Amino acid sequence: MALDTSAGGAVLLDKDGTLLQDVPYNVDPGRIRLAESAGDALRRLARLGMPLAVVSNQPGVALGRFDEPALEAVRHCLSELFARHGARLSGFFYCPHHPAGQVSAYAMHCLCRKPAPGLLRRACSALGCDPAQSWMVGDILDDVEAGRRAGCGTVLVDCGNETEWVGGALRTPDFIVPTLERAAQVIAAGLPVSPSPPLMTERPC
Protein backbone atom coordinates (compact mmCIF):
# COMPACT_ATOMS: atom_id res chain seq x y z
CA MET A 1 0.00 0.00 0.00
CA ALA A 2 1.44 3.39 -0.97
CA LEU A 3 2.01 5.99 1.69
CA ASP A 4 -0.50 8.83 1.32
CA THR A 5 1.60 12.00 1.21
CA SER A 6 -1.43 14.24 0.61
CA ALA A 7 -2.80 14.17 4.15
CA GLY A 8 -2.35 12.63 7.54
CA GLY A 9 1.40 12.15 7.66
CA ALA A 10 4.52 14.06 8.64
CA VAL A 11 8.19 13.91 7.74
CA LEU A 12 10.38 13.56 10.83
CA LEU A 13 14.03 14.44 10.31
CA ASP A 14 16.97 13.59 12.52
CA LYS A 15 19.06 16.70 13.11
CA ASP A 16 22.80 16.08 13.43
CA GLY A 17 24.35 14.21 10.53
CA THR A 18 21.09 14.04 8.58
CA LEU A 19 19.71 17.55 8.26
CA LEU A 20 22.78 19.36 9.58
CA GLN A 21 26.51 18.86 9.40
CA ASP A 22 27.43 16.85 12.48
CA VAL A 23 29.11 19.12 15.04
CA PRO A 24 28.95 17.32 18.40
CA TYR A 25 27.09 19.12 21.19
CA ASN A 26 26.77 22.30 19.16
CA VAL A 27 24.18 24.89 20.20
CA ASP A 28 25.91 27.87 18.59
CA PRO A 29 23.75 29.09 15.67
CA GLY A 30 26.87 30.49 14.03
CA ARG A 31 28.22 26.96 13.58
CA ILE A 32 24.99 25.38 12.31
CA ARG A 33 25.20 24.37 8.66
CA LEU A 34 22.88 22.29 6.50
CA ALA A 35 24.20 18.93 5.36
CA GLU A 36 24.97 18.35 1.70
CA SER A 37 21.80 18.50 -0.44
CA ALA A 38 19.63 19.32 2.60
CA GLY A 39 18.50 22.63 1.11
CA ASP A 40 17.28 20.86 -2.04
CA ALA A 41 15.60 18.25 0.14
CA LEU A 42 13.74 20.89 2.14
CA ARG A 43 12.50 22.57 -1.02
CA ARG A 44 11.21 19.26 -2.37
CA LEU A 45 9.61 18.22 0.92
CA ALA A 46 7.94 21.62 1.31
CA ARG A 47 6.02 21.00 -1.91
CA LEU A 48 4.37 17.91 -0.40
CA GLY A 49 2.31 19.95 2.06
CA MET A 50 3.19 17.59 4.93
CA PRO A 51 4.35 18.89 8.32
CA LEU A 52 8.15 18.81 8.59
CA ALA A 53 9.64 18.35 12.04
CA VAL A 54 13.03 17.69 13.58
CA VAL A 55 13.39 14.92 16.18
CA SER A 56 16.74 14.80 17.93
CA ASN A 57 18.56 13.22 20.84
CA GLN A 58 20.26 16.05 22.74
CA PRO A 59 22.25 14.29 25.47
CA GLY A 60 24.43 17.36 25.89
CA VAL A 61 21.83 18.62 28.37
CA ALA A 62 22.17 15.56 30.60
CA LEU A 63 25.94 15.50 30.17
CA GLY A 64 26.26 19.13 31.27
CA ARG A 65 27.58 20.39 27.92
CA PHE A 66 24.84 23.03 27.67
CA ASP A 67 21.60 24.05 29.39
CA GLU A 68 18.23 23.10 27.96
CA PRO A 69 17.24 26.75 27.23
CA ALA A 70 20.16 26.91 24.77
CA LEU A 71 18.13 24.68 22.45
CA GLU A 72 15.68 27.52 21.85
CA ALA A 73 18.35 29.30 19.79
CA VAL A 74 18.82 26.08 17.83
CA ARG A 75 15.09 25.87 17.17
CA HIS A 76 15.06 29.46 15.96
CA CYS A 77 18.03 28.81 13.66
CA LEU A 78 16.38 25.69 12.24
CA SER A 79 13.21 27.66 11.56
CA GLU A 80 15.20 30.27 9.66
CA LEU A 81 17.05 27.62 7.64
CA PHE A 82 13.78 25.96 6.68
CA ALA A 83 12.25 29.28 5.65
CA ARG A 84 15.32 30.13 3.57
CA HIS A 85 14.57 27.06 1.47
CA GLY A 86 10.83 27.57 1.18
CA ALA A 87 9.86 25.19 3.98
CA ARG A 88 8.22 25.58 7.37
CA LEU A 89 9.53 23.96 10.54
CA SER A 90 6.42 22.52 12.17
CA GLY A 91 8.20 21.38 15.31
CA PHE A 92 11.52 20.74 17.03
CA PHE A 93 11.27 17.78 19.39
CA TYR A 94 14.27 16.68 21.41
CA CYS A 95 15.26 14.29 24.18
CA PRO A 96 17.55 15.89 26.80
CA HIS A 97 18.17 12.66 28.73
CA HIS A 98 21.07 10.24 28.98
CA PRO A 99 21.43 7.33 31.43
CA ALA A 100 25.04 8.34 32.16
CA GLY A 101 24.19 12.03 32.53
CA GLN A 102 25.97 14.34 34.98
CA VAL A 103 22.88 16.50 35.58
CA SER A 104 20.65 14.51 37.91
CA ALA A 105 17.35 15.85 36.58
CA TYR A 106 18.18 14.43 33.15
CA ALA A 107 20.21 11.34 34.07
CA MET A 108 17.75 8.55 33.35
CA HIS A 109 16.58 5.82 31.05
CA CYS A 110 13.63 7.34 29.23
CA LEU A 111 11.06 6.51 26.58
CA CYS A 112 12.00 9.41 24.31
CA ARG A 113 15.68 8.80 23.58
CA LYS A 114 16.02 7.16 20.19
CA PRO A 115 15.96 4.22 19.46
CA ALA A 116 12.92 4.34 21.76
CA PRO A 117 9.82 5.63 19.90
CA GLY A 118 8.52 8.14 22.45
CA LEU A 119 9.96 11.24 20.81
CA LEU A 120 8.44 10.35 17.44
CA ARG A 121 5.08 9.51 18.99
CA ARG A 122 5.09 12.83 20.81
CA ALA A 123 5.90 14.65 17.59
CA CYS A 124 3.09 12.95 15.67
CA SER A 125 0.64 13.60 18.49
CA ALA A 126 1.58 17.28 18.70
CA LEU A 127 1.33 17.66 14.93
CA GLY A 128 -1.95 15.76 14.71
CA CYS A 129 -0.38 13.24 12.31
CA ASP A 130 -0.76 9.51 11.88
CA PRO A 131 2.57 7.69 12.43
CA ALA A 132 1.53 5.07 9.89
CA GLN A 133 1.35 7.82 7.27
CA SER A 134 4.63 9.41 8.36
CA TRP A 135 8.32 9.00 7.59
CA MET A 136 11.37 8.96 9.84
CA VAL A 137 14.61 9.95 8.11
CA GLY A 138 17.94 9.53 9.87
CA ASP A 139 21.60 8.70 9.42
CA ILE A 140 21.98 5.82 11.90
CA LEU A 141 20.05 2.65 12.68
CA ASP A 142 18.86 4.02 16.04
CA ASP A 143 16.77 6.46 13.97
CA VAL A 144 15.44 3.58 11.92
CA GLU A 145 14.54 1.56 15.01
CA ALA A 146 12.74 4.52 16.56
CA GLY A 147 10.79 4.97 13.35
CA ARG A 148 9.88 1.31 13.06
CA ARG A 149 8.81 1.16 16.72
CA ALA A 150 6.63 4.23 16.20
CA GLY A 151 5.05 2.70 13.10
CA CYS A 152 6.57 5.10 10.55
CA GLY A 153 8.11 4.46 7.16
CA THR A 154 11.88 4.74 7.46
CA VAL A 155 14.70 6.03 5.28
CA LEU A 156 18.36 5.68 6.23
CA VAL A 157 20.69 8.30 4.78
CA ASP A 158 23.86 6.26 4.52
CA CYS A 159 26.42 9.06 4.65
CA GLY A 160 28.96 7.18 6.76
CA ASN A 161 27.69 7.99 10.24
CA GLU A 162 26.40 4.49 10.97
CA THR A 163 29.52 2.50 11.85
CA GLU A 164 28.28 -0.42 13.95
CA TRP A 165 25.52 -1.83 11.71
CA VAL A 166 23.87 -3.83 14.49
CA GLY A 167 20.93 -5.24 12.57
CA GLY A 168 17.57 -6.78 13.38
CA ALA A 169 13.99 -6.62 12.16
CA LEU A 170 13.40 -3.24 13.79
CA ARG A 171 16.67 -1.85 12.44
CA THR A 172 16.02 -2.63 8.79
CA PRO A 173 15.00 0.56 6.95
CA ASP A 174 12.46 0.66 4.18
CA PHE A 175 15.00 2.49 2.02
CA ILE A 176 18.71 3.25 2.15
CA VAL A 177 19.83 6.29 0.15
CA PRO A 178 23.07 8.28 -0.10
CA THR A 179 21.72 11.80 0.51
CA LEU A 180 18.86 13.64 2.15
CA GLU A 181 17.80 14.93 -1.26
CA ARG A 182 17.39 11.34 -2.46
CA ALA A 183 15.38 10.58 0.68
CA ALA A 184 13.08 13.47 -0.21
CA GLN A 185 12.67 12.03 -3.71
CA VAL A 186 11.70 8.65 -2.25
CA ILE A 187 9.10 10.26 -0.02
CA ALA A 188 7.77 12.48 -2.80
CA ALA A 189 7.35 9.46 -5.05
CA GLY A 190 4.96 7.91 -2.52
CA LEU A 191 6.82 4.62 -2.68
CA PRO A 192 5.15 1.67 -0.94
CA VAL A 193 5.73 0.84 2.70
CA SER A 194 4.64 -2.46 4.23
CA PRO A 195 5.28 -4.21 7.58
CA SER A 196 8.01 -6.32 5.95
CA PRO A 197 9.07 -4.28 2.91
CA PRO A 198 11.70 -5.22 0.37
CA LEU A 199 14.83 -3.20 0.98
CA MET A 200 15.81 -0.65 -1.64
CA THR A 201 19.45 0.27 -1.25
CA GLU A 202 21.20 3.19 -2.90
CA ARG A 203 24.80 3.83 -2.01
CA PRO A 204 27.31 6.29 -3.42
CA CYS A 205 29.46 4.90 -6.24
Side-chain angles (χ1 to χ4, degrees):
M1 181 178 67
L3 187 72
D4 179 5
T5 58
S6 64
V11 179
L12 308 177
L13 301 167
D14 172 62
K15 183 170 79 70
D16 300 308
T18 302
L19 177 68
L20 302 181
Q21 296 176 14
D22 192 6
V23 180
Y25 306 114
N26 179 49
V27 291
D28 177 3
R31 300 174 66 205
I32 291 177
R33 300 286 186 274
L34 287 176
E36 181 182 359
S37 86
D40 292 335
L42 289 175
R43 285 189 288 272
R44 185 179 297 274
L45 291 171
R47 294 196 292 269
L48 300 180
M50 300 171 72
L52 308 178
V54 174
V55 289
S56 178
N57 288 349
Q58 290 295 305
V61 177
L63 297 173
R65 300 297 186 96
F66 52 83
D67 295 331
E68 189 171 358
L71 291 168
E72 176 57 25
V74 175
R75 184 205 64 76
H76 182 71
C77 184
L78 289 172
S79 183
E80 289 187 337
L81 286 173
F82 273 56
R84 194 175 302 165
H85 294 280
R88 178 179 180 272
L89 178 66
S90 296
F92 174 37
F93 303 89
Y94 61 85
C95 168
H97 308 118
H98 193 286
Q102 305 301 308
V103 181
S104 60
Y106 300 99
M108 65 181 74
H109 290 278
C110 64
L111 298 177
C112 57
R113 178 175 168 78
K114 295 178 291 182
L119 192 62
L120 280 63
R121 290 174 176 165
R122 176 155 59 91
C124 286
S125 177
L127 298 170
C129 293
D130 179 4
Q133 298 296 313
S134 299
W135 291 90
M136 175 65 212
V137 183
D139 64 325
I140 61 173
L141 293 181
D142 278 1
D143 297 315
V144 171
E145 183 174 342
R148 295 296 295 268
R149 288 185 181 277
C152 301
T154 57
V155 183
L156 176 70
V157 178
D158 183 13
C159 53
N161 292 333
E162 177 55 68
T163 58
E164 297 181 0
W165 295 100
V166 177
L170 290 173
R171 296 172 69 83
T172 301
D174 294 298
F175 301 95
I176 300 178
V177 297
T179 65
L180 187 57
E181 163 63 359
R182 185 66 187 112
Q185 292 173 8
V186 166
I187 294 170
L191 292 170
V193 174
S194 62
S196 300
L199 179 64
M200 176 182 287
T201 303
E202 299 181 16
R203 298 180 185 273
C205 296

